[in-house]
Amino acid sequence: MQNALVLNTYREPARTQTVYAFVKRSFDIICSLLLIVLLMPVLLVVAVISAVDTKSNPLFIQTRMGRNNRPFRMIKFRTMSPKAPSNMATHRFTDALDYISPVGGALRKLSLDELPQLFNILIGDMSFVGPRPVVLTETDLLRMRDRNGSLRVRPGLTGWAQVNGRDLVSVADKAVLDGYYVDNMSLSMDWQILQRTVGYVLRARDISEGATIGAVTGEYRLTAYQEKSA
């Protein structure tokens, strides 16, 4: 199935890619700065809630893999106990719910814990749209991303995999979806992803915490792309 997808991808001319990159980065800078200013009261309130809820520093800073295989420090609001393993992907936890704080679960469902990443976007570590950055210990996914070229772009606050199954997508399928995005990324695709992300967040769709998310198999890959190409 992956080979068939490659046949359906389309590469924009170099000049078009340059324009796209300029517009995309300009959008990231302007919108992240505006949202930081507008949402500052929300950021402060969530920070206080997180600090009280976890009895720890409300900011959780974790090293993730960035553009061109360069690690960066990604910022989130803390939603887990400070005793939780700090460099493990949540989908590898067999007891994730034991670590998630009482209010942390709600913050995660509403994606409010991701708001500090607006600062990562502003300084250029991330983009609004791109493959989600993963911890350095996710070597299986990183190897697949390296092969399909999805490590050459800025990681995103949201991405194609996040609006096509989110936590219910297997590691292999996630890599395929990330590679498909990189081969087809455009302003229209980014806008589509942003629109669909709003729906996912408002409905708290496809959220699962811990190792049980591996239930979706490679069959998802076929179904998802058939729907997109219909």
Side-chain angles (χ1 to χ4, degrees):
M1 186 59 201
Q2 187 173 356
N3 291 333
L5 292 176
V6 174
L7 294 176
N8 292 328
T9 59
Y10 170 70
R11 294 280 188 177
E12 293 282 358
R15 183 175 179 180
T16 303
Q17 290 180 352
T18 300
V19 173
Y20 165 70
F22 174 79
V23 174
K24 183 181 179 74
R25 181 62 190 140
S26 299
F27 175 86
D28 285 343
I29 294 171
I30 294 170
C31 289
S32 62
L33 185 58
L34 285 175
L35 287 173
I36 288 170
V37 173
L38 292 174
L39 296 176
M40 186 56 68
V42 177
L43 290 167
L44 293 175
V45 169
V46 175
V48 171
I49 292 174
S50 177
V52 173
D53 184 46
T54 62
K55 299 178 178 60
S56 181
N57 186 333
L59 294 180
F60 176 65
I61 301 176
Q62 187 178 54
T63 300
R64 302 268 181 128
M65 186 60 77
R67 185 184 187 187
N68 295 324
N69 287 299
R70 295 180 180 175
F72 72 100
R73 304 280 279 173
M74 194 188 79
I75 316 170
K76 298 181 68 173
F77 282 125
R78 188 181 295 277
T79 57
M80 287 189 174
S81 163
K83 298 179 181 179
S86 59
N87 291 304
M88 181 186 292
T90 305
H91 73 82
R92 296 186 185 277
F93 281 63
T94 56
D95 51 357
L97 295 179
D98 292 337
Y99 290 112
I100 296 175
S101 65
V103 181
L107 296 179
R108 293 167 75 91
K109 283 184 178 180
L110 296 172
S111 296
L112 292 176
D113 60 317
E114 311 286 359
L115 287 179
Q117 287 159 51
L118 291 171
F119 292 96
N120 287 119
I121 295 172
L122 180 62
I123 64 177
D125 289 332
M126 293 176 60
S127 176
F128 275 101
V129 179
R132 278 295 294 167
V134 298
V135 295
L136 306 189
T137 55
E138 289 193 70
T139 54
D140 48 353
L141 177 55
L142 289 172
R143 279 195 296 267
M144 288 183 276
R145 283 181 169 181
D146 189 47
R147 287 197 295 268
N148 66 27
S150 51
L151 285 178
R152 71 171 186 261
V153 302
R154 285 187 180 90
L157 183 66
T158 184
W160 191 236
Q162 281 61 53
V163 297
N164 282 283
R166 201 173 181 175
D167 293 339
L168 303 183
V169 180
S170 69
V171 171
D173 286 333
K174 187 178 295 183
V176 171
L177 290 163
D178 291 337
Y180 181 84
Y181 169 75
V182 172
D183 285 336
N184 295 275
M185 58 186 187
S186 64
L187 293 176
S188 61
M189 187 174 190
D190 286 351
W191 181 242
Q192 178 188 357
I193 291 171
L194 289 172
Q195 286 181 307
R196 292 180 63 177
T197 297
V198 173
Y200 262 75
V201 171
L202 292 179
R203 294 193 295 272
R205 286 185 57 187
D206 298 337
I207 295 177
S208 181
E209 305 286 5
T212 57
I213 67 172
V216 177
T217 68
E219 294 176 359
Y220 167 85
R221 193 179 313 168
L222 175 62
T223 304
Y225 281 103
Q226 285 178 332
E227 290 176 354
K228 300 301 171 295
S229 60

